[in-house]
Amino acid sequence: MTDSPPADAPTEPTLPVAKPYSPGLEGVVAGDTSLSYIDGAAGRLLYRGYRIGDLVERGTYPAVANLLWTGEWDPKHRLPTAAVPGPVIDVLRAIPSNAKPMDALRTAVSAWGSTQELPWPPTVEQARALTAFSPSALAAFARLRSGEQPIDPDPELDLTTGFLYQLTGERPDPGTARALDAYFIVGAEHGFNASTFTARVITSTRSDIASAVAGAIGTMKGPLHGGAPTEVVDQLAKVGSVEHAEEWVRDALARGERLMGFGHRVYRAYDPRAAALRKVAEGMEHKPDWLQMAIEVEDVALRILAEKHPERPLRTNVEYYAAPVLMGVGLAPDLFPATFSLARHAGWTAHALEQAANNRLIRPDVNYIGPEERDLPG
Ligand code: ACO
């Protein structure tokens, strides 16, 4: 406690002067990682040194998740989905059928954590168990909300195929399964994005891996992060046709709206994940009939964004082509953000392992900009 200054004392500020601060922590380095390298200027993304395009062409999601967790490349690595514990099914049954799937998934992960022993530090086994659990939980919620019973995992199927099977009751054709697996690979990891940073902050307190992932899902729920592909579908429906694109885009920007699927905090070049997914979308057997329109609308949008923001290159991001891939595999648009979260489990949990291996509590400083020290009135 300090003594109160005399009433006639000069009114110079007594609180410390603000230190430099970067809004949104843009450009601030907040850690070291061996998991992924993002070259925003050149549009390059590597997972543990391997190019994302090569991983999509030659890898599987289980192999990529294992690479992130262990650093080892084992192309034959398998990861089937895991059963949902009974108490978690009870929780999912209690969630209103009109709840957002992201809310259901976040709740399921939290409930799962309460059924597990998850001692510190997190382990690869914990990461694997949680990543294998969540697709079953989301599929169970999707079925329960439409009055259907959950389907048990088939241990013969790998994670993305198993997820589609538990969602629909049918084993997907190889092309559809491969398209969703490619989506999961590009969604698996992406540096210190907002949700991953959340997972690392939670892990840094020595909290458990389920809490880290539940928090990360909450962060990813925001439309500026994981909500975009659903909105891409809505926007393209509003555009309606290539002929209307120019007028629609100009009007939307004039209203101050953002074009979903464009812009990125790090990429100034074309997002390499968008390039990989565009290839996947074009190669799909059951592609949505609006894919060609989306490709042409993209050109119009890029031209107008370049005209409006000559100072800041705004290019296509991963979410733009995630939309047709996810539609093409038959997912309802409101499942897109939660499906993105399933894919990102590999990265979130790998970051939890990396954080724990060299832990220091994440606790930044903040500039106080409120009133000077003062007496309570009265
Ligand atoms: N459409 C129109 N204008 C945009 C867009 C966009 N998609 N993105 C950025 N801008 C404009 C902003 O309005 C701003 O203009 P101003 O300076 O005149 O206000 C300028 O570009 C800079 O934008 P910032 O908000 O500073 O860029 P930031 O790095 O914070 O944003 C973000 C990145 C949030 C992704 C942004 O580009 C956006 O909102 N995009 C649309 C949503 C989207 O596609 N999200 C998915 C991102 S990918 C992912 O999370 C996996």
Side-chain angles (χ1 to χ4, degrees):
M1 289 283 278
T2 52
D3 292 336
S4 306
D8 57 352
T11 55
E12 272 178 30
T14 56
L15 297 176
V17 180
K19 293 180 208 151
Y21 145 66
S22 171
L25 301 187
E26 185 162 5
V28 172
V29 174
D32 290 333
T33 186
S34 310
L35 298 174
S36 63
Y37 173 76
I38 307 168
D39 179 350
R44 207 152 56 109
L45 172 62
L46 312 175
Y47 291 172
R48 289 198 184 268
Y50 298 119
R51 284 181 290 277
I52 190 69
D54 293 350
L55 290 168
V56 168
E57 269 176 34
R58 294 172 40 203
T60 63
Y61 181 70
V64 166
N66 187 60
L67 171 72
L68 292 170
W69 294 324
T70 66
E72 302 298 320
W73 179 242
D74 170 10
K76 297 211 166 8
H77 189 81
R78 295 211 52 235
L79 182 65
T81 57
V84 180
V88 183
I89 288 283
D90 292 344
V91 169
L92 289 172
R93 285 189 199 280
I95 293 176
S97 58
N98 63 353
K100 289 200 162 71
M102 283 296 264
D103 290 328
L105 182 63
R106 190 195 59 234
T107 305
V109 168
S110 184
W112 178 85
S114 72
T115 68
Q116 307 292 309
E117 292 289 328
L118 298 170
W120 172 273
T123 61
V124 172
E125 287 65 39
Q126 292 176 11
R128 208 186 299 276
L130 178 47
T131 303
F133 153 80
S134 288
S136 302
L138 181 60
F141 172 72
R143 291 183 71 82
L144 287 169
R145 72 176 179 173
S146 38
E148 295 167 315
Q149 287 309 305
I151 295 175
D152 288 336
D154 177 346
E156 295 299 311
L157 303 179
D158 256 325
L159 193 123
T160 47
T161 314
F163 170 56
L164 287 175
Y165 164 63
Q166 285 168 264
L167 203 55
T168 63
E170 283 168 26
R171 287 168 179 73
D173 65 78
T176 300
R178 181 74 199 116
L180 188 63
D181 208 59
Y183 170 77
F184 269 56
I185 293 171
V186 304
E189 155 60 11
H190 209 236
F192 266 36
N193 56 83
S195 58
T196 300
F197 191 56
T198 304
R200 285 193 78 132
V201 171
I202 293 174
T203 304
S204 82
T205 70
R206 297 200 183 179
S207 185
D208 61 277
I209 202 165
S211 300
V213 169
I217 295 169
T219 305
M220 189 175 260
K221 190 180 163 195
L224 296 189
H225 190 2
T230 312
E231 301 192 33
V232 168
V233 177
D234 293 347
Q235 275 192 352
L236 284 168
K238 286 184 199 152
V239 173
S241 69
V242 179
E243 293 69 48
H244 289 130
E246 174 107 17
E247 186 191 350
W248 192 90
V249 168
R250 286 190 188 282
D251 286 353
L253 293 179
R255 289 192 298 271
E257 288 176 19
R258 294 192 170 203
L259 302 183
M260 291 295 145
F262 295 90
H264 198 272
R265 177 58 64 80
V266 180
Y267 289 117
R268 295 292 163 261
Y270 202 98
D271 184 335
R273 302 168 301 169
L277 284 187
R278 176 176 167 168
K279 252 199 227 173
V280 171
E282 288 180 305
M284 284 175 85
E285 193 185 333
H286 307 291
K287 44 184 165 282
D289 48 15
W290 46 261
L291 176 62
Q292 191 50 39
M293 179 188 87
I295 291 170
E296 292 176 43
V297 169
E298 180 191 13
D299 289 340
V300 175
L302 288 173
R303 175 166 51 75
I304 298 174
L305 284 171
E307 184 190 299
K308 298 271 177 207
H309 290 280
E311 78 301 340
R312 185 176 183 101
L314 294 169
R315 301 278 158 72
T316 316
N317 69 44
V318 61
E319 308 289 22
Y320 195 76
Y321 284 106
V325 170
L326 294 177
M327 279 297 263
V329 302
L331 294 183
D334 78 337
L335 289 176
F336 291 1
T339 304
F340 181 20
S341 290
L342 298 182
R344 187 54 61 82
H345 270 52
W348 288 333
T349 52
H351 275 276
L353 299 176
E354 192 176 57
Q355 178 67 35
N358 196 7
N359 193 41
R360 177 140 176 91
L361 177 71
I362 298 175
R363 202 307 185 184
D365 219 340
V366 66
N367 286 325
Y368 175 70
I369 55 165
E372 284 293 308
E373 184 174 334
R374 53 185 169 163
D375 295 326
L376 272 173

